[in-house]
Amino acid sequence: MLKGNWRIPTETLSGPGRISELPGRVSDLGIKRALIVTDPGVAGLPFFAGIVASLEKENIAVAVFKDVHPDPIADDVAAGVRAYGAHEAEMVIAIGGGSGLDCGKSVALATATSLPLWDFEITRTSPELDRPIPPIFAIPTTAGTGSEVGRATVVTDLTLGRKIILLHRDMLPRLVILDAELTFGLPPSITAWTGMDALAHNLEAYYAPGWNPFADGIAVEGMRLVKEALLTAVSEPKNVDARGKMLAAASMGATAFQKGLGAIHSLSHPIGAKFHGHHGLTNAVLMPYVLAFNRPIIETRMAELAASLGVGGGFDGFLNWVLELRSRLKIPHTIAELKVTEDSLDFLAEEAFLDPNTPDNPRPADAGAMRKILVGALHGSLDGLDR
Ligand code: NAD
């Protein structure tokens, strides 16, 4: 049956230099006081002071909350809410990679409720808010997570040692600015890891079960852009076209994954929470093993994808392209190289099974199946995962 729920995401200004349109767009909302949420690394980048100055020139009073950890934690959000209140802000401008954007979106959510953050976990029914979530503008400075076009955030619960996905439809930013020049300073490693995150989103969305041809089409084009631009973005950091294409691919991945994600993400979340590797890097390491596990269900679909991307060779052609890309990006082949240990596999497998993305993996995966994938990924072996 052709049935599905679709949401086309938010207004996006895409193109180099378009950050200059930010002050005008804030003023258009009649807003005079804004809180910028970001992390210390991004706050120290050359363009950052210019953004603040441009807003102040437009008579917008700006406060900056920049104490966001990589993989934000609940305390970051609470501190951001205090900064929002102290400044009497009327909106949040989230600038950064996924960590800054997720924290900014979560701060906006938390200003609208007195409930604990975890009540908004994606697995629960969204509770009523005390007041509307203030407007959020999102300006990504990495090209990977696509958080700028999403209604979800990822916040780590240090007590449980878990990455929690929070969801509220009004966390969808009102405006996105995709300005390639803001990503010129991204080092090659983070460019590669975040780019593989964008690939993982498009890929898992593409083969997630369900009827959403919008998502399917967006995902295929998102992967084509990654194929065209990622290696260039790594080797030529100021290649504005490659950077712009990667920003688009990242937004497309997160647009497409409203259809669902799968076991790459289910496994990546507990590994990230326990071993603190970069999310995109962990996804990249796991990708071939999850592909091999899913092979019996996705073989035909992957052959169609391989043909669309011009890599040919059916399922194996796509898998080999991923392996080659990973190797050219200097991404490790095993999770052992991410410091994952054999004695953690039972815990990781159980947590991965419980992850909200697991039901959307095309091949059903219980904790035993998750463990099997982890063992393959630990020892660098793709053999037998499809059985
Ligand atoms: P990140 O935001 O943690 O940033 C990584 C590093 O890059 C930081 O040190 C940051 O200061 C630096 N950086 C950012 N932009 C830069 C630039 N232009 N130049 C130089 N340095 C720059 O990394 P990320 O991969 O963008 O985000 C990861 C987070 O996003 C994780 O917490 C992950 O769980 C989350 N995530 C969220 C979603 C979602 O839908 N909300 C999806 C995937 C991942």
Side-chain angles (χ1 to χ4, degrees):
M1 187 199 290
L2 302 186
K3 186 176 175 207
N5 298 340
W6 300 329
R7 189 178 290 268
I8 309 281
T10 194
E11 184 186 1
T12 298
L13 310 179
S14 167
R18 298 208 65 183
I19 192 66
S20 64
E21 295 174 49
L22 174 66
R25 297 304 290 252
V26 173
S27 285
D28 286 350
L29 297 182
I31 281 176
K32 292 283 170 212
R33 308 186 68 79
L35 178 72
I36 294 182
V37 177
T38 191
D39 72 31
V42 173
L45 291 169
F47 60 73
F48 190 83
I51 294 178
V52 174
S54 71
L55 288 161
E56 288 172 345
K57 202 167 160 213
E58 184 84 13
N59 294 320
I60 298 155
V62 178
V64 177
F65 173 71
K66 62 176 171 59
D67 298 333
V68 179
H69 288 89
D71 295 345
I73 58 175
D75 283 354
D76 299 344
V77 179
V81 171
R82 288 194 294 277
Y84 187 93
H87 186 57
E88 297 178 9
E90 302 161 273
M91 74 171 299
V92 169
I93 302 174
I95 305 180
S99 298
L101 299 187
D102 279 5
C103 189
K105 288 161 62 183
S106 304
V107 166
L109 168 68
T111 65
T113 180
S114 50
L115 294 169
L117 217 44
W118 311 136
D119 285 11
F120 294 85
E121 186 170 3
I122 191 168
T123 47
R124 303 187 187 194
T125 308
S126 249
E128 288 295 316
L129 297 172
D130 300 339
R131 60 196 79 84
I133 294 178
I136 304 166
F137 285 2
I139 301 162
T141 62
T142 64
T145 72
S147 174
E148 65 276 6
V149 294
R151 299 155 294 153
T153 62
V154 185
V155 178
T156 299
D157 179 346
L158 286 180
T159 327
L160 295 176
R162 280 181 58 213
K163 287 179 107 172
I164 310 272
I165 303 175
L166 307 174
L167 184 78
H168 194 286
R169 63 175 187 274
D170 297 338
M171 276 202 288
L172 184 71
R174 196 174 289 202
L175 184 79
V176 171
I177 300 180
L178 298 185
D179 185 333
E181 290 173 357
L182 304 186
T183 65
F184 282 178
L186 260 189
S189 57
I190 302 181
T191 303
W193 302 344
T194 49
M196 289 302 283
D197 194 23
L199 177 62
H201 293 155
N202 283 293
L203 174 65
E204 289 207 296
Y206 169 77
Y207 64 50
W211 164 245
N212 191 333
F214 281 74
D216 291 345
I218 289 168
V220 173
E221 179 62 6
M223 285 185 272
R224 199 190 61 74
L225 288 173
V226 171
K227 178 170 174 280
E228 197 175 305
L230 179 52
L231 287 166
T232 308
V234 169
S235 60
E236 299 171 31
K238 295 194 174 172
N239 185 313
V240 73
D241 284 350
R243 290 293 196 183
K245 284 174 183 171
M246 285 309 302
L247 277 172
S251 285
M252 292 165 86
T255 304
F257 77 52
Q258 62 183 268
K259 186 178 160 212
L261 289 169
I264 296 176
H265 279 80
S266 309
L267 289 157
S268 192
H269 287 146
I271 292 175
K274 193 167 169 58
F275 294 98
H276 309 293
H278 182 268
H279 173 73
L281 171 64
T282 313
N283 282 347
V285 176
L286 290 164
M287 190 177 288
Y289 305 100
V290 174
L291 277 168
F293 172 78
N294 284 333
R295 181 174 191 146
I297 310 292
I298 63 172
E299 186 140 20
T300 309
R301 205 148 161 69
M302 295 311 293
E304 289 165 6
L305 177 64
S308 301
L309 296 185
V311 297
F315 178 94
D316 286 318
F318 184 83
L319 179 62
N320 289 334
W321 172 71
V322 168
L323 290 168
E324 162 82 12
L325 178 65
R326 267 193 346 164
S327 143
R328 291 179 70 183
L329 294 172
K330 301 188 176 58
I331 287 177
H333 186 53
T334 69
I335 53 173
E337 291 159 273
L338 304 180
K339 312 267 180 281
V340 175
T341 51
E342 183 110 41
D343 62 359
S344 66
L345 295 195
D346 287 336
F347 168 79
L348 295 175
E350 191 59 39
E351 288 287 302
F353 170 59
L354 296 174
D355 189 272
N357 292 300
T358 299
D360 287 325
N361 194 61
R363 183 174 171 197
D366 59 14
M370 292 295 187
R371 196 177 194 288
K372 187 163 113 172
I373 300 169
L374 287 166
V375 170
L378 190 74
H379 300 294
S381 170
L382 296 164
D383 292 341
L385 290 178
D386 54 344
R387 290 197 290 278

